[in-house]
Amino acid sequence: MDSRTIGILGGGQLGRMMVEAAHRLNLSTILLDTPPDSPAKQINALNTHIQGSFADAASIHELATNCDIITAEIEHVDTHILEQLEKPEYQATKLGGKKVEIQPDWKTIRTIQDKYLQHKVLIDGGVPTAEVLPIQEASEQALKDVGSVFGYPYMLKSRTMAYDGRGNFAVTSEKDIPEALSQLGTRPLYAEKWAHFKMELAVMVVRGKDAVMGYPVAETVHEKSILRVCYIPARGVSKEIQERARKLAEQAVSAFPGKGVFGVEMFLMDDETLLINELAPRPHNSGHYTIDACPTSQFEIHLRAILDLPIPPTATSLSTPTTSSIMVNILGSPDPNTPWAHLDLARSALSIPGATVHLYGKGPGRPGRKMGHITIVGASMAEVQANAAPLIAAAFDTGE
Ligand code: ATP
Ligand code: MG
Ligand code: MG
């Protein structure tokens, strides 16, 4: 399909599913990650992978010497070396004249890495988000000042290195401020006005060479800030709101340069307005359903987009107009003494009509770690919900 080798920053489950999609298209991939047996390296023994960190300039340089285009399955990468790699003089002097392209644009990755700057770009682009306030120095007074502007509760967030809610603290009153400082005080911070939402939604969006296209709207259910279950299409959300959500997600992605797939998280507020929560410049957990419920998965579409391969307009639709889907995350058992308990959920799903089990090859589970997911697909949400009910009950019962 394309003779270029794709270098992927990160070799976790998103990289693993990207490699699966690449294999079907005869595309060559090589991975940069520290563990020699990372989830993505396990299923791609075709190439010599790089052992090193996606946050380390020398390792990314080494990846660049072995590939033609670099993409990422994670945003916490060193963007300074990515910036250098695209410069003609760097390519001439340090890469022996070899060209390398970065997709999505390193500027996009750099901005999205800092959630405060990300919000600023969205706000400047006229995209509705929660209001934000910068915090120059983490002090009791600074956090009280935020409270006097936003009221309580408000959300204190780390600007960088956030995932699964690690980096967020809900400040419910002045009394919470010492605890908020002890948890997040050493990190660069900003504050967000509390979003009174009735539901969280997420839309995968692809930008190829010609168009920006959104997938159907997923309803996302989080527990302790970790995504647990997705319903697609979002339940009880009118066609009008779904259309608005998809358009808003496309507008949000249009504020950032570069090709590839993006995960867009948003809040459906009590008054039915929509606010963007955050973007991920890569495939996203809320888009896993696209593997089993759409003609083209988020992983394949990402590869098509960065390589300028065709993306027909139906690529981002559900397989049929009534296709419905539920995705359940398989998390590591909360009990450290039962590190394989997550497999019970996976095994039980094998008997469910319409279910596909995806395991990530991470070995024994750690509490809360994403070990795999299950997608159930059917001809109506009622059918899929009936089939998925025991699985969802088991997932929440055991905390898996
Ligand atoms: P991810 O794993 O999705 O990258 P993250 O660590 O970047 O997570 P956020 O997406 O910022 O965290 O927030 C996690 C969850 O916290 C959201 O899904 C939402 O439930 C809640 N949340 C975030 N911001 C706000 C807000 N301003 N008001 C109310 N709730 C919020
Ligand atoms: Mg995030
Ligand atoms: Mg999030």
Side-chain angles (χ1 to χ4, degrees):
M1 285 287 182
D2 193 300
S3 59
R4 284 177 287 176
T5 296
I6 304 159
I8 305 176
L9 300 173
Q13 68 266 23
L14 300 176
R16 178 175 169 114
M17 290 182 269
M18 213 185 277
V19 167
E20 280 177 346
H23 282 341
R24 279 189 292 98
L25 295 177
N26 277 4
L27 295 171
S28 243
T29 53
I30 77 169
L31 298 145
L32 169 64
D33 208 348
T34 309
D37 61 345
S38 74
K41 288 179 185 173
Q42 285 173 33
I43 64 155
N44 185 1
L46 305 173
N47 288 301
T48 315
H49 303 298
I50 315 287
Q51 196 171 345
S53 167
F54 44 74
D56 173 55
S59 301
I60 296 177
H61 169 91
E62 195 185 341
L63 180 74
T65 61
N66 287 281
C67 71
D68 306 292
I69 178 162
I70 292 183
T71 192
E73 61 127 40
I74 184 163
E75 58 274 30
H76 307 303
V77 301
D78 180 354
T79 59
H80 298 283
I81 182 71
L82 296 180
E83 177 178 5
Q84 294 305 316
L85 285 171
E86 272 200 333
K87 290 187 176 156
E89 66 266 28
Y90 189 97
Q91 297 181 353
T93 57
K94 304 265 177 58
L95 295 177
K98 187 177 156 312
K99 294 207 176 346
V100 66
E101 186 184 341
I102 318 294
Q103 290 295 351
D105 197 302
W106 58 265
K107 294 191 267 326
T108 290
I109 300 177
R110 185 178 294 169
T111 311
I112 287 178
Q113 279 176 345
D114 182 330
K115 289 162 96 173
Y116 177 71
L117 295 182
Q118 183 192 142
H119 273 77
K120 287 304 228 186
V121 168
L122 290 168
I123 292 164
D124 290 347
V127 180
T129 72
E131 279 178 53
V132 290
L133 281 174
I135 294 172
Q136 305 304 349
E137 202 181 316
S139 66
E140 289 216 12
Q141 191 53 50
L143 298 201
K144 280 184 191 161
D145 291 346
V146 173
S148 61
V149 178
F150 282 163
Y152 296 92
Y154 69 82
M155 192 65 101
L156 184 66
K157 290 195 181 183
S158 173
R159 290 171 66 141
T160 56
M161 300 302 289
Y163 70 99
D164 288 346
R166 297 172 210 208
N168 289 0
F169 191 101
V171 184
T172 60
S173 75
E174 268 193 17
K175 286 202 206 78
D176 284 350
I177 289 177
E179 180 58 22
L181 284 173
S182 89
Q183 285 198 23
L184 295 180
T186 57
R187 300 175 68 170
L189 299 176
Y190 76 105
E192 275 182 29
K193 192 168 178 175
W194 195 261
H196 294 279
F197 57 82
K198 58 179 172 187
M199 205 179 213
E200 290 188 81
L201 303 175
V203 182
M204 295 310 305
V205 175
V206 65
R207 187 201 276 110
K209 63 180 173 14
D210 302 318
V212 177
M213 286 157 61
Y215 277 90
V217 179
E219 168 190 352
T220 56
V221 179
H222 296 82
E223 191 185 50
K224 296 188 199 134
S225 289
I226 300 180
L227 181 65
R228 301 298 304 272
V229 185
C230 285
Y231 298 84
I232 303 98
R235 296 168 307 169
V237 176
S238 70
K239 285 261 176 299
E240 184 270 321
I241 294 175
Q242 294 198 37
E243 194 50 24
R244 257 199 292 134
R246 203 169 52 77
K247 288 256 157 60
L248 180 63
E250 291 173 358
Q251 189 195 348
V253 167
S254 302
F256 297 89
K259 288 180 271 196
V261 82
F262 293 74
V264 183
E265 301 176 13
M266 61 181 87
F267 302 128
L268 176 59
M269 306 294 282
D270 290 339
D271 65 1
E272 307 226 311
T273 55
L274 292 161
L275 293 184
I276 297 289
N277 172 28
E278 63 166 347
L279 267 64
R282 52 166 170 79
H284 191 262
N285 196 169
S286 68
H288 289 353
Y289 77 91
T290 60
I291 302 175
D292 303 298
C294 299
T296 315
S297 77
Q298 61 166 343
F299 300 99
E300 179 170 337
I301 218 156
H302 179 72
L303 298 169
R304 290 196 196 196
I306 65 173
L307 297 172
D308 293 340
L309 294 171
I311 301 175
T314 50
T316 54
S317 310
L318 291 163
S319 301
T320 77
T322 59
T323 295
S324 299
S325 170
I326 297 179
M327 192 265 344
V328 181
N329 268 345
I330 303 174
L331 301 186
S333 164
D335 177 359
N337 298 315
T338 57
W340 297 101
H342 61 275
L343 292 181
D344 296 342
L345 199 68
R347 274 191 209 100
S348 72
L350 296 176
S351 319
I352 298 177
T356 309
V357 176
H358 300 255
L359 290 171
Y360 304 152
K362 290 185 178 176
R366 285 206 304 268
R369 192 164 187 224
K370 291 173 182 166
M371 307 304 292
H373 73 269
I374 298 153
T375 310
I376 302 124
V377 179
S380 71
M381 186 51 83
E383 175 194 323
V384 180
Q385 267 185 294
N387 285 334
L391 189 71
I392 293 173
F396 280 94
D397 265 4
T398 58
E400 276 170 17

